[in-house]
Amino acid sequence: MSEMHTRAQARAQEKAAGPAVRHGRLKQHHPLKALLKIVVAVIAVVGVTGVSLAAYAAVDVVSSVKKSVKLVDAKGNEVTPSVGAMNGAFNVLLAGSDSGGGNTAYGDRDENLNDVTMLLHVSADHKNATVVSFPRDMYVSIPSCPDPKGGSFDAMSRQKINNSLSYGGLACTVLTVEKLTGLDIPYAGVIQFDGVIEMSNAVGGVPVCVAGDIEDPYTGLNVKAGQNTLQGSQALAFLRTRHGVGDGSDLGRISNQQVFLSSLVRTIKSADVLSNPVKLYGIAKAATSNITLSDSLNNPTTIVSMAMALKNIDISKVVFVQYPNHYDVDGVSPTKDAADQLMGALQNDQSVSLTGDTGVGSEADPNAPAPQAPAAQPPATQAPATQAPATQAPATQAPATGDGASTPAADGSVQLPSDVHGQTAAQYTCSKPFQD
């Protein structure tokens, strides 16, 4: 009886004192779990409904991440940019390998050349983006590059840029482009044929205009004149073709690729992919599954952060430009004055504007949508303004001077000389079939 009374007193004392304080070991946070929480938070913030969907998306994307590549600077130090929101300007390099990735469907391909090398520069205010395509046959100097097996390779003074990938891997291609451009490139990736197919599938296909029938037995491309929605193997064939467009050169292929890329940007913007977490997740998974990324980019939060930085850029401010060049023996060489203007603008975080045409592999789309009418009509006494053709510079631009300098455009952008080719994502262009 006394024992029962003692227990009753103890319970009464506990109740009066409030809940007991329990001490235990603090839960340790695993880095992967922390990463998953960040990804889930990002997806949830931009609008995904349903915790289970957000959690599944995060786990699924992280599980698809491929083995990454270490980048180094000119002194051999490992490049390790911070992970998180993209603040300020940033540069990303994408190399396209012609190796086929070991897929026998593309034949016996012993080479591993970067036949596509593109650099994306996003301005510090995230209002302008410039994509520079480097001709695969352009002669450049290749710096000393790290050997993946240890040590380093010797520098070479004159080699075609597409040898850099086979010489020292993605890190060597990055170092080569950094030396050529004077820009720091902390993010990079290399994509192979199957990756191009999956990325085109992730956005549901890309509509492109073709000025005439194109049939290229080298790549398997077979498209008819008019509008074609390309995805899968036909998207890959379209991006690879050079025999089927322009003058059959790699320069024609670049302008043909810009037809595709400008339409891709419009497709993404019109479908609000960059504001749609579900579609963004699909692209992120396609990227991490099919592109070999640098350590710095091999992170879903970084990919999402880049996408969020890009999503509000107006398509007229997305400029695709061919690195200035001129023919040289069996390839091309950089055109120094024009290249200095382009790279100087990017180094100083200035936007660029084009005064030249779109290149030998493309032409203006005669059926391009009519531009939207201005908010205010001009006075009746004034003649209506005429629309400049897609391949011409806007009327507000002043011509570039002939001494290597350039006259700023009305919007403050740096005007490139008329022999520099490219287009904006707002320009509707068509691929031009090969002509002898």
Side-chain angles (χ1 to χ4, degrees), residues 122-160:
V122 177
S123 64
D125 59 8
H126 299 168
K127 292 183 178 179
N128 296 276
T130 305
V131 181
V132 183
S133 292
F134 300 87
R136 68 165 193 177
D137 293 325
M138 186 167 68
Y139 285 105
V140 299
S141 60
I142 296 180
S144 176
C145 294
D147 183 345
K149 297 180 181 179
S152 61
F153 295 112
D154 293 336
M156 296 184 288
S157 61
R158 181 177 164 87
Q159 288 288 326
K160 290 183 176 179

PDB file of all heavy atoms in Angstrom, residues 122-160:
ATOM      1  N   VAL A 122      26.442  34.394 -69.348  1.00  0.00           N
ATOM      2  CA  VAL A 122      25.255  35.059 -68.812  1.00  0.00           C
ATOM      3  C   VAL A 122      25.719  36.281 -68.032  1.00  0.00           C
ATOM      4  O   VAL A 122      26.615  36.185 -67.186  1.00  0.00           O
ATOM      5  CB  VAL A 122      24.439  34.109 -67.915  1.00  0.00           C
ATOM      6  CG1 VAL A 122      23.242  34.835 -67.314  1.00  0.00           C
ATOM      7  CG2 VAL A 122      23.980  32.894 -68.705  1.00  0.00           C
ATOM      8  N   SER A 123      25.131  37.419 -68.327  1.00  0.00           N
ATOM      9  CA  SER A 123      25.556  38.676 -67.710  1.00  0.00           C
ATOM     10  C   SER A 123      25.240  38.702 -66.222  1.00  0.00           C
ATOM     11  O   SER A 123      24.396  37.947 -65.723  1.00  0.00           O
ATOM     12  CB  SER A 123      24.884  39.859 -68.407  1.00  0.00           C
ATOM     13  OG  SER A 123      23.471  39.803 -68.234  1.00  0.00           O
ATOM     14  N   ALA A 124      25.902  39.619 -65.525  1.00  0.00           N
ATOM     15  CA  ALA A 124      25.766  39.696 -64.068  1.00  0.00           C
ATOM     16  C   ALA A 124      24.340  40.009 -63.632  1.00  0.00           C
ATOM     17  O   ALA A 124      23.886  39.538 -62.588  1.00  0.00           O
ATOM     18  CB  ALA A 124      26.728  40.744 -63.514  1.00  0.00           C
ATOM     19  N   ASP A 125      23.635  40.799 -64.448  1.00  0.00           N
ATOM     20  CA  ASP A 125      22.250  41.131 -64.080  1.00  0.00           C
ATOM     21  C   ASP A 125      21.250  40.103 -64.595  1.00  0.00           C
ATOM     22  O   ASP A 125      20.045  40.263 -64.426  1.00  0.00           O
ATOM     23  CB  ASP A 125      21.874  42.526 -64.587  1.00  0.00           C
ATOM     24  CG  ASP A 125      22.004  42.650 -66.115  1.00  0.00           C
ATOM     25  OD1 ASP A 125      22.240  41.633 -66.782  1.00  0.00           O
ATOM     26  OD2 ASP A 125      21.865  43.775 -66.613  1.00  0.00           O
ATOM     27  N   HIS A 126      21.738  39.050 -65.225  1.00  0.00           N
ATOM     28  CA  HIS A 126      20.902  37.966 -65.752  1.00  0.00           C
ATOM     29  C   HIS A 126      19.858  38.471 -66.741  1.00  0.00           C
ATOM     30  O   HIS A 126      18.749  37.948 -66.813  1.00  0.00           O
ATOM     31  CB  HIS A 126      20.231  37.193 -64.614  1.00  0.00           C
ATOM     32  CG  HIS A 126      21.195  36.539 -63.676  1.00  0.00           C
ATOM     33  ND1 HIS A 126      20.825  36.002 -62.461  1.00  0.00           N
ATOM     34  CD2 HIS A 126      22.536  36.334 -63.766  1.00  0.00           C
ATOM     35  CE1 HIS A 126      21.887  35.504 -61.844  1.00  0.00           C
ATOM     36  NE2 HIS A 126      22.941  35.691 -62.626  1.00  0.00           N
ATOM     37  N   LYS A 127      20.258  39.480 -67.542  1.00  0.00           N
ATOM     38  CA  LYS A 127      19.357  40.032 -68.555  1.00  0.00           C
ATOM     39  C   LYS A 127      19.835  39.760 -69.981  1.00  0.00           C
ATOM     40  O   LYS A 127      19.103  40.035 -70.935  1.00  0.00           O
ATOM     41  CB  LYS A 127      19.188  41.541 -68.348  1.00  0.00           C
ATOM     42  CG  LYS A 127      18.438  41.899 -67.066  1.00  0.00           C
ATOM     43  CD  LYS A 127      18.240  43.407 -66.945  1.00  0.00           C
ATOM     44  CE  LYS A 127      17.457  43.760 -65.684  1.00  0.00           C
ATOM     45  NZ  LYS A 127      17.270  45.228 -65.549  1.00  0.00           N
ATOM     46  N   ASN A 128      21.058  39.257 -70.123  1.00  0.00           N
ATOM     47  CA  ASN A 128      21.620  38.969 -71.440  1.00  0.00           C
ATOM     48  C   ASN A 128      22.357  37.642 -71.406  1.00  0.00           C
ATOM     49  O   ASN A 128      22.989  37.292 -70.405  1.00  0.00           O
ATOM     50  CB  ASN A 128      22.608  40.062 -71.869  1.00  0.00           C
ATOM     51  CG  ASN A 128      21.952  41.410 -72.044  1.00  0.00           C
ATOM     52  OD1 ASN A 128      21.395  41.710 -73.084  1.00  0.00           O
ATOM     53  ND2 ASN A 128      22.023  42.245 -70.995  1.00  0.00           N
ATOM     54  N   ALA A 129      22.270  36.915 -72.517  1.00  0.00           N
ATOM     55  CA  ALA A 129      23.020  35.667 -72.658  1.00  0.00           C
ATOM     56  C   ALA A 129      23.628  35.620 -74.056  1.00  0.00           C
ATOM     57  O   ALA A 129      22.956  35.929 -75.045  1.00  0.00           O
ATOM     58  CB  ALA A 129      22.110  34.459 -72.434  1.00  0.00           C
ATOM     59  N   THR A 130      24.892  35.267 -74.134  1.00  0.00           N
ATOM     60  CA  THR A 130      25.593  35.151 -75.408  1.00  0.00           C
ATOM     61  C   THR A 130      26.141  33.740 -75.531  1.00  0.00           C
ATOM     62  O   THR A 130      26.807  33.248 -74.623  1.00  0.00           O
ATOM     63  CB  THR A 130      26.750  36.164 -75.495  1.00  0.00           C
ATOM     64  OG1 THR A 130      26.260  37.480 -75.255  1.00  0.00           O
ATOM     65  CG2 THR A 130      27.411  36.110 -76.867  1.00  0.00           C
ATOM     66  N   VAL A 131      25.830  33.076 -76.647  1.00  0.00           N
ATOM     67  CA  VAL A 131      26.312  31.720 -76.907  1.00  0.00           C
ATOM     68  C   VAL A 131      27.279  31.791 -78.082  1.00  0.00           C
ATOM     69  O   VAL A 131      26.884  32.125 -79.199  1.00  0.00           O
ATOM     70  CB  VAL A 131      25.153  30.763 -77.225  1.00  0.00           C
ATOM     71  CG1 VAL A 131      25.690  29.352 -77.454  1.00  0.00           C
ATOM     72  CG2 VAL A 131      24.121  30.765 -76.101  1.00  0.00           C
ATOM     73  N   VAL A 132      28.549  31.477 -77.830  1.00  0.00           N
ATOM     74  CA  VAL A 132      29.591  31.549 -78.851  1.00  0.00           C
ATOM     75  C   VAL A 132      29.905  30.137 -79.341  1.00  0.00           C
ATOM     76  O   VAL A 132      30.214  29.251 -78.543  1.00  0.00           O
ATOM     77  CB  VAL A 132      30.870  32.203 -78.300  1.00  0.00           C
ATOM     78  CG1 VAL A 132      31.925  32.329 -79.404  1.00  0.00           C
ATOM     79  CG2 VAL A 132      30.571  33.565 -77.684  1.00  0.00           C
ATOM     80  N   SER A 133      29.809  29.931 -80.657  1.00  0.00           N
ATOM     81  CA  SER A 133      30.171  28.648 -81.264  1.00  0.00           C
ATOM     82  C   SER A 133      31.566  28.759 -81.883  1.00  0.00           C
ATOM     83  O   SER A 133      31.836  29.694 -82.642  1.00  0.00           O
ATOM     84  CB  SER A 133      29.168  28.262 -82.352  1.00  0.00           C
ATOM     85  OG  SER A 133      27.903  27.954 -81.802  1.00  0.00           O
ATOM     86  N   PHE A 134      32.429  27.804 -81.558  1.00  0.00           N
ATOM     87  CA  PHE A 134      33.795  27.801 -82.067  1.00  0.00           C
ATOM     88  C   PHE A 134      33.904  26.777 -83.194  1.00  0.00           C
ATOM     89  O   PHE A 134      33.618  25.592 -82.979  1.00  0.00           O
ATOM     90  CB  PHE A 134      34.780  27.449 -80.943  1.00  0.00           C
ATOM     91  CG  PHE A 134      34.740  28.403 -79.785  1.00  0.00           C
ATOM     92  CD1 PHE A 134      33.838  28.213 -78.746  1.00  0.00           C
ATOM     93  CD2 PHE A 134      35.586  29.499 -79.735  1.00  0.00           C
ATOM     94  CE1 PHE A 134      33.787  29.103 -77.675  1.00  0.00           C
ATOM     95  CE2 PHE A 134      35.540  30.391 -78.675  1.00  0.00           C
ATOM     96  CZ  PHE A 134      34.640  30.195 -77.644  1.00  0.00           C
ATOM     97  N   PRO A 135      34.312  27.198 -84.396  1.00  0.00           N
ATOM     98  CA  PRO A 135      34.442  26.247 -85.506  1.00  0.00           C
ATOM     99  C   PRO A 135      35.398  25.120 -85.154  1.00  0.00           C
ATOM    100  O   PRO A 135      36.467  25.362 -84.590  1.00  0.00           O
ATOM    101  CB  PRO A 135      34.999  27.115 -86.651  1.00  0.00           C
ATOM    102  CG  PRO A 135      34.588  28.510 -86.305  1.00  0.00           C
ATOM    103  CD  PRO A 135      34.623  28.583 -84.817  1.00  0.00           C
ATOM    104  N   ARG A 136      35.023  23.908 -85.476  1.00  0.00           N
ATOM    105  CA  ARG A 136      35.839  22.753 -85.090  1.00  0.00           C
ATOM    106  C   ARG A 136      37.211  22.767 -85.764  1.00  0.00           C
ATOM    107  O   ARG A 136      38.184  22.229 -85.240  1.00  0.00           O
ATOM    108  CB  ARG A 136      35.118  21.450 -85.449  1.00  0.00           C
ATOM    109  CG  ARG A 136      35.003  21.224 -86.946  1.00  0.00           C
ATOM    110  CD  ARG A 136      34.628  19.812 -87.307  1.00  0.00           C
ATOM    111  NE  ARG A 136      34.838  19.584 -88.727  1.00  0.00           N
ATOM    112  CZ  ARG A 136      34.657  18.418 -89.322  1.00  0.00           C
ATOM    113  NH1 ARG A 136      34.248  17.380 -88.631  1.00  0.00           N
ATOM    114  NH2 ARG A 136      34.887  18.285 -90.602  1.00  0.00           N
ATOM    115  N   ASP A 137      37.305  23.380 -86.965  1.00  0.00           N
ATOM    116  CA  ASP A 137      38.556  23.391 -87.719  1.00  0.00           C
ATOM    117  C   ASP A 137      39.348  24.671 -87.517  1.00  0.00           C
ATOM    118  O   ASP A 137      40.203  25.011 -88.339  1.00  0.00           O
ATOM    119  CB  ASP A 137      38.267  23.202 -89.219  1.00  0.00           C
ATOM    120  CG  ASP A 137      37.712  21.819 -89.525  1.00  0.00           C
ATOM    121  OD1 ASP A 137      38.123  20.851 -88.857  1.00  0.00           O
ATOM    122  OD2 ASP A 137      36.855  21.705 -90.423  1.00  0.00           O
ATOM    123  N   MET A 138      39.083  25.392 -86.435  1.00  0.00           N
ATOM    124  CA  MET A 138      39.801  26.637 -86.175  1.00  0.00           C
ATOM    125  C   MET A 138      41.134  26.346 -85.494  1.00  0.00           C
ATOM    126  O   MET A 138      41.195  25.625 -84.495  1.00  0.00           O
ATOM    127  CB  MET A 138      38.961  27.577 -85.313  1.00  0.00           C
ATOM    128  CG  MET A 138      39.594  28.943 -85.126  1.00  0.00           C
ATOM    129  SD  MET A 138      38.442  30.160 -84.426  1.00  0.00           S
ATOM    130  CE  MET A 138      38.220  29.490 -82.779  1.00  0.00           C
ATOM    131  N   TYR A 139      42.205  26.917 -86.050  1.00  0.00           N
ATOM    132  CA  TYR A 139      43.531  26.734 -85.483  1.00  0.00           C
ATOM    133  C   TYR A 139      43.699  27.621 -84.252  1.00  0.00           C
ATOM    134  O   TYR A 139      43.456  28.833 -84.291  1.00  0.00           O
ATOM    135  CB  TYR A 139      44.606  27.072 -86.516  1.00  0.00           C
ATOM    136  CG  TYR A 139      44.779  26.007 -87.570  1.00  0.00           C
ATOM    137  CD1 TYR A 139      44.281  26.187 -88.857  1.00  0.00           C
ATOM    138  CD2 TYR A 139      45.440  24.814 -87.268  1.00  0.00           C
ATOM    139  CE1 TYR A 139      44.439  25.197 -89.830  1.00  0.00           C
ATOM    140  CE2 TYR A 139      45.603  23.822 -88.233  1.00  0.00           C
ATOM    141  CZ  TYR A 139      45.101  24.017 -89.512  1.00  0.00           C
ATOM    142  OH  TYR A 139      45.258  23.044 -90.455  1.00  0.00           O
ATOM    143  N   VAL A 140      44.107  26.990 -83.139  1.00  0.00           N
ATOM    144  CA  VAL A 140      44.329  27.700 -81.882  1.00  0.00           C
ATOM    145  C   VAL A 140      45.562  27.102 -81.212  1.00  0.00           C
ATOM    146  O   VAL A 140      46.087  26.069 -81.633  1.00  0.00           O
ATOM    147  CB  VAL A 140      43.120  27.565 -80.928  1.00  0.00           C
ATOM    148  CG1 VAL A 140      41.870  28.163 -81.539  1.00  0.00           C
ATOM    149  CG2 VAL A 140      42.884  26.099 -80.546  1.00  0.00           C
ATOM    150  N   SER A 141      46.027  27.753 -80.165  1.00  0.00           N
ATOM    151  CA  SER A 141      47.081  27.165 -79.340  1.00  0.00           C
ATOM    152  C   SER A 141      46.420  26.404 -78.198  1.00  0.00           C
ATOM    153  O   SER A 141      45.457  26.886 -77.601  1.00  0.00           O
ATOM    154  CB  SER A 141      48.016  28.242 -78.803  1.00  0.00           C
ATOM    155  OG  SER A 141      47.309  29.163 -78.010  1.00  0.00           O
ATOM    156  N   ILE A 142      46.921  25.214 -77.938  1.00  0.00           N
ATOM    157  CA  ILE A 142      46.401  24.389 -76.846  1.00  0.00           C
ATOM    158  C   ILE A 142      47.419  24.428 -75.709  1.00  0.00           C
ATOM    159  O   ILE A 142      48.583  24.068 -75.909  1.00  0.00           O
ATOM    160  CB  ILE A 142      46.148  22.947 -77.306  1.00  0.00           C
ATOM    161  CG1 ILE A 142      45.050  22.928 -78.385  1.00  0.00           C
ATOM    162  CG2 ILE A 142      45.734  22.060 -76.136  1.00  0.00           C
ATOM    163  CD1 ILE A 142      44.729  21.544 -78.918  1.00  0.00           C
ATOM    164  N   PRO A 143      47.026  24.900 -74.532  1.00  0.00           N
ATOM    165  CA  PRO A 143      47.977  24.994 -73.418  1.00  0.00           C
ATOM    166  C   PRO A 143      48.321  23.627 -72.851  1.00  0.00           C
ATOM    167  O   PRO A 143      47.730  22.605 -73.244  1.00  0.00           O
ATOM    168  CB  PRO A 143      47.219  25.845 -72.402  1.00  0.00           C
ATOM    169  CG  PRO A 143      45.781  25.533 -72.661  1.00  0.00           C
ATOM    170  CD  PRO A 143      45.675  25.327 -74.147  1.00  0.00           C
ATOM    171  N   SER A 144      49.256  23.597 -71.932  1.00  0.00           N
ATOM    172  CA  SER A 144      49.559  22.361 -71.225  1.00  0.00           C
ATOM    173  C   SER A 144      48.305  21.904 -70.479  1.00  0.00           C
ATOM    174  O   SER A 144      47.658  22.694 -69.792  1.00  0.00           O
ATOM    175  CB  SER A 144      50.697  22.587 -70.230  1.00  0.00           C
ATOM    176  OG  SER A 144      50.931  21.424 -69.472  1.00  0.00           O
ATOM    177  N   CYS A 145      47.955  20.641 -70.656  1.00  0.00           N
ATOM    178  CA  CYS A 145      46.714  20.104 -70.069  1.00  0.00           C
ATOM    179  C   CYS A 145      47.026  18.931 -69.160  1.00  0.00           C
ATOM    180  O   CYS A 145      47.984  18.173 -69.400  1.00  0.00           O
ATOM    181  CB  CYS A 145      45.770  19.645 -71.185  1.00  0.00           C
ATOM    182  SG  CYS A 145      45.149  20.970 -72.228  1.00  0.00           S
ATOM    183  N   PRO A 146      46.229  18.753 -68.112  1.00  0.00           N
ATOM    184  CA  PRO A 146      46.467  17.621 -67.209  1.00  0.00           C
ATOM    185  C   PRO A 146      46.181  16.291 -67.891  1.00  0.00           C
ATOM    186  O   PRO A 146      45.210  16.156 -68.636  1.00  0.00           O
ATOM    187  CB  PRO A 146      45.482  17.874 -66.065  1.00  0.00           C
ATOM    188  CG  PRO A 146      44.401  18.716 -66.675  1.00  0.00           C
ATOM    189  CD  PRO A 146      45.070  19.568 -67.698  1.00  0.00           C
ATOM    190  N   ASP A 147      47.050  15.329 -67.641  1.00  0.00           N
ATOM    191  CA  ASP A 147      46.844  13.973 -68.129  1.00  0.00           C
ATOM    192  C   ASP A 147      45.996  13.236 -67.100  1.00  0.00           C
ATOM    193  O   ASP A 147      46.357  13.174 -65.918  1.00  0.00           O
ATOM    194  CB  ASP A 147      48.195  13.270 -68.299  1.00  0.00           C
ATOM    195  CG  ASP A 147      48.085  11.868 -68.877  1.00  0.00           C
ATOM    196  OD1 ASP A 147      46.964  11.306 -68.883  1.00  0.00           O
ATOM    197  OD2 ASP A 147      49.108  11.327 -69.316  1.00  0.00           O
ATOM    198  N   PRO A 148      44.822  12.709 -67.512  1.00  0.00           N
ATOM    199  CA  PRO A 148      43.971  12.001 -66.538  1.00  0.00           C
ATOM    200  C   PRO A 148      44.696  10.868 -65.815  1.00  0.00           C
ATOM    201  O   PRO A 148      44.302  10.488 -64.709  1.00  0.00           O
ATOM    202  CB  PRO A 148      42.829  11.456 -67.411  1.00  0.00           C
ATOM    203  CG  PRO A 148      42.779  12.387 -68.583  1.00  0.00           C
ATOM    204  CD  PRO A 148      44.203  12.767 -68.844  1.00  0.00           C
ATOM    205  N   LYS A 149      45.779  10.369 -66.413  1.00  0.00           N
ATOM    206  CA  LYS A 149      46.526   9.268 -65.794  1.00  0.00           C
ATOM    207  C   LYS A 149      47.658   9.777 -64.911  1.00  0.00           C
ATOM    208  O   LYS A 149      48.397   8.999 -64.327  1.00  0.00           O
ATOM    209  CB  LYS A 149      47.092   8.358 -66.881  1.00  0.00           C
ATOM    210  CG  LYS A 149      46.020   7.683 -67.723  1.00  0.00           C
ATOM    211  CD  LYS A 149      46.642   6.798 -68.797  1.00  0.00           C
ATOM    212  CE  LYS A 149      45.565   6.150 -69.658  1.00  0.00           C
ATOM    213  NZ  LYS A 149      46.155   5.300 -70.742  1.00  0.00           N
ATOM    214  N   GLY A 150      47.798  11.097 -64.819  1.00  0.00           N
ATOM    215  CA  GLY A 150      48.864  11.691 -64.017  1.00  0.00           C
ATOM    216  C   GLY A 150      49.813  12.514 -64.861  1.00  0.00           C
ATOM    217  O   GLY A 150      50.049  12.208 -66.029  1.00  0.00           O
ATOM    218  N   GLY A 151      50.338  13.579 -64.273  1.00  0.00           N
ATOM    219  CA  GLY A 151      51.240  14.442 -65.014  1.00  0.00           C
ATOM    220  C   GLY A 151      50.479  15.388 -65.923  1.00  0.00           C
ATOM    221  O   GLY A 151      49.308  15.697 -65.692  1.00  0.00           O
ATOM    222  N   SER A 152      51.132  15.838 -66.981  1.00  0.00           N
ATOM    223  CA  SER A 152      50.492  16.775 -67.891  1.00  0.00           C
ATOM    224  C   SER A 152      51.022  16.599 -69.302  1.00  0.00           C
ATOM    225  O   SER A 152      52.110  16.055 -69.516  1.00  0.00           O
ATOM    226  CB  SER A 152      50.725  18.213 -67.419  1.00  0.00           C
ATOM    227  OG  SER A 152      52.115  18.506 -67.386  1.00  0.00           O
ATOM    228  N   PHE A 153      50.227  17.073 -70.266  1.00  0.00           N
ATOM    229  CA  PHE A 153      50.620  17.054 -71.659  1.00  0.00           C
ATOM    230  C   PHE A 153      51.293  18.384 -72.008  1.00  0.00           C
ATOM    231  O   PHE A 153      50.987  19.420 -71.423  1.00  0.00           O
ATOM    232  CB  PHE A 153      49.397  16.855 -72.561  1.00  0.00           C
ATOM    233  CG  PHE A 153      48.718  15.530 -72.387  1.00  0.00           C
ATOM    234  CD1 PHE A 153      47.444  15.458 -71.837  1.00  0.00           C
ATOM    235  CD2 PHE A 153      49.339  14.359 -72.780  1.00  0.00           C
ATOM    236  CE1 PHE A 153      46.806  14.239 -71.692  1.00  0.00           C
ATOM    237  CE2 PHE A 153      48.702  13.128 -72.624  1.00  0.00           C
ATOM    238  CZ  PHE A 153      47.447  13.070 -72.085  1.00  0.00           C
ATOM    239  N   ASP A 154      52.183  18.344 -72.983  1.00  0.00           N
ATOM    240  CA  ASP A 154      52.857  19.562 -73.421  1.00  0.00           C
ATOM    241  C   ASP A 154      51.886  20.477 -74.156  1.00  0.00           C
ATOM    242  O   ASP A 154      50.900  20.032 -74.752  1.00  0.00           O
ATOM    243  CB  ASP A 154      54.021  19.217 -74.351  1.00  0.00           C
ATOM    244  CG  ASP A 154      55.148  18.479 -73.631  1.00  0.00           C
ATOM    245  OD1 ASP A 154      55.255  18.635 -72.405  1.00  0.00           O
ATOM    246  OD2 ASP A 154      55.903  17.748 -74.306  1.00  0.00           O
ATOM    247  N   ALA A 155      52.195  21.774 -74.116  1.00  0.00           N
ATOM    248  CA  ALA A 155      51.410  22.754 -74.866  1.00  0.00           C
ATOM    249  C   ALA A 155      51.709  22.621 -76.355  1.00  0.00           C
ATOM    250  O   ALA A 155      52.791  22.143 -76.749  1.00  0.00           O
ATOM    251  CB  ALA A 155      51.736  24.162 -74.382  1.00  0.00           C
ATOM    252  N   MET A 156      50.754  23.006 -77.184  1.00  0.00           N
ATOM    253  CA  MET A 156      50.926  22.983 -78.639  1.00  0.00           C
ATOM    254  C   MET A 156      50.526  24.345 -79.190  1.00  0.00           C
ATOM    255  O   MET A 156      49.501  24.908 -78.793  1.00  0.00           O
ATOM    256  CB  MET A 156      50.080  21.869 -79.269  1.00  0.00           C
ATOM    257  CG  MET A 156      50.504  20.478 -78.838  1.00  0.00           C
ATOM    258  SD  MET A 156      49.584  19.166 -79.687  1.00  0.00           S
ATOM    259  CE  MET A 156      47.987  19.350 -78.897  1.00  0.00           C
ATOM    260  N   SER A 157      51.330  24.876 -80.108  1.00  0.00           N
ATOM    261  CA  SER A 157      51.118  26.243 -80.568  1.00  0.00           C
ATOM    262  C   SER A 157      50.055  26.371 -81.646  1.00  0.00           C
ATOM    263  O   SER A 157      49.436  27.429 -81.787  1.00  0.00           O
ATOM    264  CB  SER A 157      52.435  26.837 -81.083  1.00  0.00           C
ATOM    265  OG  SER A 157      52.928  26.068 -82.178  1.00  0.00           O
ATOM    266  N   ARG A 158      49.808  25.329 -82.422  1.00  0.00           N
ATOM    267  CA  ARG A 158      48.846  25.445 -83.525  1.00  0.00           C
ATOM    268  C   ARG A 158      48.200  24.093 -83.796  1.00  0.00           C
ATOM    269  O   ARG A 158      48.802  23.203 -84.383  1.00  0.00           O
ATOM    270  CB  ARG A 158      49.546  25.965 -84.775  1.00  0.00           C
ATOM    271  CG  ARG A 158      48.633  26.148 -85.988  1.00  0.00           C
ATOM    272  CD  ARG A 158      49.409  26.739 -87.157  1.00  0.00           C
ATOM    273  NE  ARG A 158      48.710  26.603 -88.432  1.00  0.00           N
ATOM    274  CZ  ARG A 158      47.818  27.484 -88.902  1.00  0.00           C
ATOM    275  NH1 ARG A 158      47.507  28.544 -88.171  1.00  0.00           N
ATOM    276  NH2 ARG A 158      47.233  27.308 -90.071  1.00  0.00           N
ATOM    277  N   GLN A 159      46.972  23.976 -83.334  1.00  0.00           N
ATOM    278  CA  GLN A 159      46.197  22.759 -83.544  1.00  0.00           C
ATOM    279  C   GLN A 159      44.734  23.152 -83.757  1.00  0.00           C
ATOM    280  O   GLN A 159      44.291  24.196 -83.274  1.00  0.00           O
ATOM    281  CB  GLN A 159      46.295  21.821 -82.334  1.00  0.00           C
ATOM    282  CG  GLN A 159      47.628  21.137 -82.164  1.00  0.00           C
ATOM    283  CD  GLN A 159      47.864  20.051 -83.201  1.00  0.00           C
ATOM    284  OE1 GLN A 159      46.923  19.386 -83.627  1.00  0.00           O
ATOM    285  NE2 GLN A 159      49.108  19.880 -83.604  1.00  0.00           N
ATOM    286  N   LYS A 160      43.994  22.315 -84.456  1.00  0.00           N
ATOM    287  CA  LYS A 160      42.558  22.573 -84.572  1.00  0.00           C
ATOM    288  C   LYS A 160      41.914  22.343 -83.204  1.00  0.00           C
ATOM    289  O   LYS A 160      42.257  21.405 -82.490  1.00  0.00           O
ATOM    290  CB  LYS A 160      41.939  21.666 -85.628  1.00  0.00           C
ATOM    291  CG  LYS A 160      42.372  22.046 -87.045  1.00  0.00           C
ATOM    292  CD  LYS A 160      41.709  21.185 -88.103  1.00  0.00           C
ATOM    293  CE  LYS A 160      42.114  21.668 -89.500  1.00  0.00           C
ATOM    294  NZ  LYS A 160      41.509  20.837 -90.575  1.00  0.00           N
TER     295      LYS A 160
END
